[in-house]
Amino acid sequence: MKIHSFIKRLNATELGLGATNDTYIAIPIEVDLSDMLINRQALEIFDRKTGTVFTPENSNIMYVQTGQNNQERISGLGRYYEMVDAKVGDEILIERIEDRSGIKYAIDFYHRNAIVFQKNRDYVEILTAEKIATY
């Protein structure tokens, strides 16, 4: 058995809270997922958190090499982020599992309950502000 894993902490832009409203996982430039995922092919992926199987027929989760600034991402995650109530600072795991029966993909999610301070040019923004209210 061979398992490839990729873990990422989510930021506001990836959760669709930025100007574009896109929902995705940005792949850092130093990470190469081209041997783990196929470019522009919708995945069949099992979600360990909810038990849902996302298929090309009911979802559009896919790895995309955009060609713009060598940017890579896993796109089509809006529905998933809503299902798991994703917040800034939460972690997401994507796995490719290879065994004798073939190749399978899995996704998992971990709420970190983090308070994130995002530095902008002239100010600092507190993300997930509702978590800081008790303090």
Side-chain angles (χ1 to χ4, degrees), residues 2 7 16 22-23 28 32-33 44-46 49 59-60 69 74 91 97 102 105 107-108 117 119 126 130:
K2 188 175 184 181
I7 300 172
D22 290 344
T23 51
D32 181 9
L33 295 183
E44 179 168 313
I45 190 165
F46 172 72
K49 186 155 186 83
S59 173
N60 196 28
N69 302 324
I74 298 170
E91 289 181 340
I97 302 148
Y105 293 94
I107 189 169
D108 207 346
F117 295 88
K119 183 181 182 303
I126 300 173
E130 65 276 3

Side-chain angles (χ1 to χ4, degrees), residues 79-121:
R79 182 174 149 221
Y80 182 71
Y81 287 164
E82 286 178 23
M83 288 175 67
V84 297
D85 192 28
K87 303 284 187 220
V88 174
D90 289 345
E91 289 181 340
I92 192 165
L93 165 73
I94 304 286
E95 285 187 327
R96 174 183 164 134
I97 302 148
E98 299 175 38
D99 61 18
R100 291 182 183 164
S101 64
I103 297 170
K104 296 177 186 140
Y105 293 94
I107 189 169
D108 207 346
F109 195 84
Y110 175 67
H111 286 289
R112 293 184 54 243
N113 295 315
I115 297 171
V116 177
F117 295 88
Q118 178 174 300
K119 183 181 182 303
N120 294 308
R121 181 179 299 205

